[in-house]
Amino acid sequence: MESPGRGADVDVVVVGAGLAGLTTARELLKRDEALKIVIIEARDRVGGRTLTLPVKVKGGKVEYFDFGAQWVGPTQHHVLKLIEEFKLKTHPQFCEGTKLMQMTRGEIQTYEADLPTVGSPWAYDEHKRLMQKLEKMAQMVRMDDPYASPLALQLTGVTVKVFGDLHLQSRAARSYLDQMSKGCFGVDAASMPMLFFLAYANAAGGVEPLFGLKDAAQDCGVQGGTQQLSKRLALLVGHEKILLSHAVVAVRQDSESRNVLVECRQVDDKTNEIVGDLKRFTCKKVVITTPPRLTTKITFTPELPVLKKELYDNMRMGHLYKFLVTYEQRHWCNKGFSGEYFSNGGHKLNVECSTGPILEVYDVTTPTGAPAIVGFLGGRQSLELRQKSKQERGMAVIEGLVLAFGPEMRAYIAYEDKMWGDDPWAGGCPCAYAAPGDYHAWPHIRTPHGDVHFAGTETATVWMGYMSGAIQSGERAACEVLADLRPQLVSQAEALQARDARNVRGQFLLEPEDVVIGKSSL
């Protein structure tokens, strides 16, 4: 194969060098190492929404921490398999001690359970019944086609906030539902579609696995950081096959020759502007792994099908931003706290935010004993702080930690954050979701468009939005490609799956006139 820097004729072009894209390339080469593949990545690095960076810690040393995807859980089999293959070590998320929560701008309360216990005994009972209801409802809404659920007609256009207002009387329980939406998606409950919320939980095996720590989504961290997974995959694929700092601008399919022309331009790593002359690759197959809204910036010839384009055009990224603070001592542990703190804003602390900015925090002290707190900003508060400088964000976060754990939290070593909304090749974090009325088109998120295939964690059906989902999507896309290019290398089940990927429901469901969303209907 010619050098990717000059363009070439190849078999497959993969767009994006995150876990989905690198997994796609790796799976293709595992089946046929003679395949000519190039991966085009707009960033100057591999890893996508995994990002591991050095931060100063106690003793004047430096340790590595995750500023993107971080945790893995026991049912995330795709990522766990990769961790085991690369012989990486995991360590359990620390959760021993008293936990803290603050809802409805009230005082900070303590609790001991795995998940926050909300407010008064009455509010707690209402919240418990809500969680049971959500678990049952989630089982009825599959991630591959949420609109096919028997609940779809009742929930189309309904947000998590509307659902909570209808089914909850306790202000504290409604506030916690909002906090759940912000913590998982980085989106206020008023903007999060209920149908997507349930499908996302179904893809994770339930609501509790989605939001819990022990034996759930935040069960373990990866020593040395999760970006190692992408770096190891890049080594296996071969760095000579990866073209960094280049953005794909056009994908043109020729129906007569069955060739695909992929055009890209260089990206200025300092300004993120697309510059330079076109580079062209001619190939048989393309796999797109970029977030949906970024995918729509590519010129497709022929254009994307109507339902697919409608869906992609209306998908938004969450606003979940991450910060890390390091310390000389684990001040929170000295007071018997686990380091877990959940808040839906609380009282206004300064002029920077309408409420306290912190959404949730955890103790991420390293296996070597370097104390650290990781936390998140989400929803409206994160958008408010996004407009401020790093110093202003840090001051707001530290005062939030002081409110929770005491004045000792002002004696920190380093504050760092990652505002994913400022990353032009992500546009937000952790994943994209569709507008409330667009779930009739959801199956088209992963359907091929001629010889162009689609992967990425948003297209996953198991642990969508997570690293494991990204890996699953890459394996699926590779099988779709091989079913056409190397049919002898796929199993019968894989061939059927590839065929079914093109045969999805296209019509709208009929909506009866008497559809209601009140309590009696659910």
Side-chain angles (χ1 to χ4, degrees), residues 12-13 15 251 260 262 283-288 451-453 481:
V12 184
V13 171
V15 182
V251 175
V260 186
V262 178
C283 61
K284 296 297 183 183
K285 290 285 185 178
V286 177
V287 179
I288 307 283
D451 288 309
V452 181
H453 301 257
V481 169

Side-chain angles (χ1 to χ4, degrees), residues 48 101 168 185 220 257 278 285 339 353 368 406 475:
M101 61 167 285
L168 297 170
F185 309 105
C220 289
S257 67
L278 281 175
K285 290 285 185 178
C353 291
T368 61
E475 293 178 354

Side-chain angles (χ1 to χ4, degrees), residues 58-114:
K58 71 173 186 177
K61 297 181 180 179
V62 169
E63 297 245 16
Y64 284 83
F65 295 89
D66 284 316
F67 285 82
Q70 175 170 348
W71 289 284
V72 297
T75 61
Q76 295 179 351
H77 303 300
H78 290 84
V79 69
L80 289 175
K81 181 181 178 181
L82 199 60
I83 289 171
E84 181 180 5
E85 177 185 349
F86 292 154
K87 296 181 171 53
L88 299 178
K89 295 181 179 180
T90 61
H91 55 272
Q93 170 58 41
F94 182 78
C95 57
E96 301 300 323
T98 301
K99 305 169 178 63
L100 300 173
M101 61 167 285
Q102 181 186 47
M103 297 292 157
T104 66
R105 302 196 181 191
E107 294 184 359
I108 294 177
Q109 298 176 314
T110 62
Y111 69 99
E112 302 291 339
D114 289 338

